[in-house]
Amino acid sequence: MPGLGQPGNRAPRRPVGLRLAARPGLSFVVVCVAACGESIAPTQGPEQPPVLTALAFTALAAGDDHTCGLTVDGAAYCWGGNEVGQLGDGVVSDYRNLPVMVAGGISFASLTAGAFHTCGIAVDGSAYCWGFNVTGQIGDGTRAHRNVPVGVTGGHTYTALAAGGGYTCGITLDGTVYCWGARGNSELPDDSTTNSLVPVAVDEDHAFASIGVGADHRCGITAMGTAYCWGAGNNGQLGHGETKSSSVPISVIGQLRFGAIVAGDTHSCGLTLSGAAYCWGLNVAGQLGTGTPDSSHEPVLVAGGLTFLALDADGDYTCGLVAGGKAYCWGINDMGQLGDGSTVNHDVPGPVTGGFEFVSLRAGRFHGCGLTARGAAYCWGFNQFGQLGDGSNVDSSVPVLVGTVAFVRN
C-alpha cells in the first residue's frame, strides 16, 4: 500500500494536484434507477423516504481513503474518497460515506485497493482498474483518470492482483508477475524512472503463487513457500539482511516457508504454513510486533504465541486473524486503526475490541476492516472521507458497521 515518505509524517496524503475539502455532515444517497441497474448518481438527500437495503459482502479491499466490497453475485461496491473516481460509480465527488455500486455491470471475482485507485479481476480472469492514473497505475496505456472500470491492456488472465500507491501488480496463470505504473524506487522490474502505462513482466524465472505490495516494495511467494522481495530496501523491508534496494526479486533470508505474504509502508510480514507470523523492516511504531523497538533486516517472530490464519498490513501497522475469528493488530494507532478503543501504539498483537468473529481482514492506510461469516462489514480508524462506510465522517477506534445502501422509492 502507499506510503507518506518519512515515518512519523501522519497527515493523510491526497493525490498530487488535487485539493479536497471534506464537508462533515454531508451524506449521499445512492439513487437506484429503474431496476437498480448501472446508473448511479449522488444527491443531497432523497425527496421521499428511502428504502434501506443491506449488503452482504464476500470480500473487502481497503485503500488510503476508500474501501470496497464484493457481493456474492460479483457486484462491487465502494465508499470513501472519490475525488479521482476511485469508487468507480461513474462520477467524481468529494466522498461517499455509504456504499455505491461500481458501474459497468462487471462480475468480479476479487478486488484490491491502492492509494487512490481500485482494481478487480473479472470472473473470466481479465483485469480492470479505475481511479487515479497519473503514473499509469490503471494499466490502460494512458494517464487519464477513470471513474468507471477500464480493462488493463495486454490480454493476460490473472489469478491475483495487488494495488500499491502509484502502481499495480498481477499474477498470471503461469505464475509470472506483471506490474504497471510508477517506477520510482525500483517499483518495477528495471532501474528506469520512466513509468510504465502497460503491464511489464517482473521476472519470468520465478513462478509466484501470491504477492503483497507496499509503498514502494513488493514481495511474492512461490508454490513451495519461498519468499522473494524487490523494490525499495532502505529499511530492510526486503528481508535479505541488508538495507539496499533491488529491481529484481531476491530471496528473503532464512529457511522459512510461507503460505501468505503482505507488505506495509516500510515493513513486510509472512505467515508460515503452521500459522506463525514473521515480520521484517522498520519498527518505529511496533509494526513488527516483536515487543521491542528494534528494526530488523530479516524475519523475526511476532510475539504472543498466536497461531494466525491470515495477515494484512498497510502503513505502519499489521493485523492478523486467529481461529475463531478474533482479530489482532499491532503498530501505529494514531487514527485508531488498531481497533482497540484507543489511539495508543502497540508493539505486540492486541485484540480488536467488540468480540467479533471475522472471516477476513483488510488493512487500509489509516483504517482497518473485518468481514463476518454473514457478510457484514465492520471498519475502524480514520473516517474523514467516509471510508468506514457508516454514513458519517466521524473517526472510530472501535469497529462500526458499514451502512446500508439507500434506494429511492419510485
Side-chain angles (χ1 to χ4, degrees):
M1 283 296 178
L4 295 177
Q6 295 299 319
N9 181 6
R10 309 309 306 170
R13 187 181 66 173
R14 313 309 306 153
V16 175
L18 291 179
R19 183 179 180 183
L20 178 63
R23 298 193 295 268
L26 175 62
S27 61
F28 291 88
V29 174
V30 181
V31 179
C32 192
V33 178
C36 297
E38 300 167 6
S39 193
I40 300 174
T43 177
Q44 296 281 340
E47 295 181 358
Q48 302 180 42
V51 176
L52 299 180
T53 304
L55 291 169
F57 296 107
T58 59
L60 299 173
D64 259 30
D65 68 356
H66 74 293
T67 313
C68 296
L70 188 65
T71 64
V72 67
D73 60 356
Y77 288 79
C78 295
W79 55 96
N82 194 37
E83 67 276 27
V84 283
Q86 59 264 50
L87 302 190
D89 66 339
V91 301
V92 174
S93 58
D94 282 356
Y95 63 84
R96 307 293 188 85
N97 54 24
L98 286 171
V100 294
M101 184 184 288
V102 173
I106 301 166
S107 182
F108 290 102
S110 66
L111 296 173
T112 181
F116 306 107
H117 74 291
T118 314
C119 297
I121 299 177
V123 292
D124 64 357
S126 56
Y128 291 82
C129 294
W130 57 96
F132 200 44
N133 195 31
V134 70
T135 56
Q137 55 264 60
I138 301 303
D140 66 344
T142 77
R143 288 188 175 87
H145 307 327
R146 304 294 186 178
N147 58 22
V148 296
V150 295
V152 174
T153 63
H156 301 295
T157 299
Y158 292 95
T159 60
L161 289 179
Y167 69 97
T168 311
C169 294
I171 302 177
T172 60
L173 288 172
D174 63 358
T176 300
V177 171
Y178 288 82
C179 295
W180 53 96
R183 289 198 181 201
N185 295 317
S186 301
E187 288 176 353
L188 290 180
D190 58 48
D191 292 323
S192 170
T193 57
T194 303
N195 300 332
S196 177
L197 308 183
V198 298
V200 177
V202 170
D203 181 0
E204 296 180 352
D205 292 334
H206 295 93
F208 291 97
S210 67
I211 187 172
V213 300
D216 51 10
H217 78 287
R218 62 230 39 83
C219 298
I221 54 174
T222 67
M224 297 299 293
T226 303
Y228 294 83
C229 295
W230 64 100
N234 54 306
N235 290 291
Q237 61 265 52
L238 303 189
H240 59 89
E242 301 181 55
T243 54
K244 66 178 183 179
S245 301
S246 176
S247 60
V248 297
I250 52 179
S251 59
V252 173
I253 208 166
Q255 302 299 315
L256 296 168
R257 292 292 179 263
F258 296 107
I261 201 160
V262 298
D265 269 10
T266 52
H267 77 291
S268 310
C269 296
L271 183 63
T272 69
L273 297 179
S274 64
Y278 287 81
C279 296
W280 54 95
L282 194 66
N283 195 35
V284 293
Q287 58 264 51
L288 301 191
T290 59
T292 76
D294 300 330
S295 300
S296 178
H297 305 158
E298 59 185 75
V300 288
L301 182 64
V302 172
L306 296 168
T307 299
F308 292 100
L309 302 177
L311 294 177
D312 204 11
D314 199 357
D316 297 325
Y317 76 106
T318 314
C319 292
L321 193 67
V322 302
K326 195 169 185 177
Y328 289 81
C329 296
W330 55 97
I332 198 159
N333 196 29
D334 55 348
M335 300 290 185
Q337 56 264 59
L338 301 189
D340 67 346
S342 79
T343 54
V344 177
N345 297 352
H346 293 288
D347 58 10
V348 295
V352 172
T353 193
F356 295 100
E357 295 182 2
F358 294 121
V359 295
S360 66
L361 289 175
R362 286 294 178 265
R365 175 151 188 81
F366 299 107
H367 74 291
C369 295
L371 183 66
T372 71
R374 298 176 69 89
Y378 291 83
C379 295
W380 54 91
F382 190 52
N383 196 33
Q384 181 181 349
F385 307 103
Q387 55 264 56
L388 302 191
D390 66 343
S392 80
N393 297 84
V394 179
D395 300 348
S396 178
S397 60
V398 299
V400 294
L401 179 66
V402 172
T404 56
V405 178
F407 295 113
V408 173
R409 298 176 187 271
N410 291 326

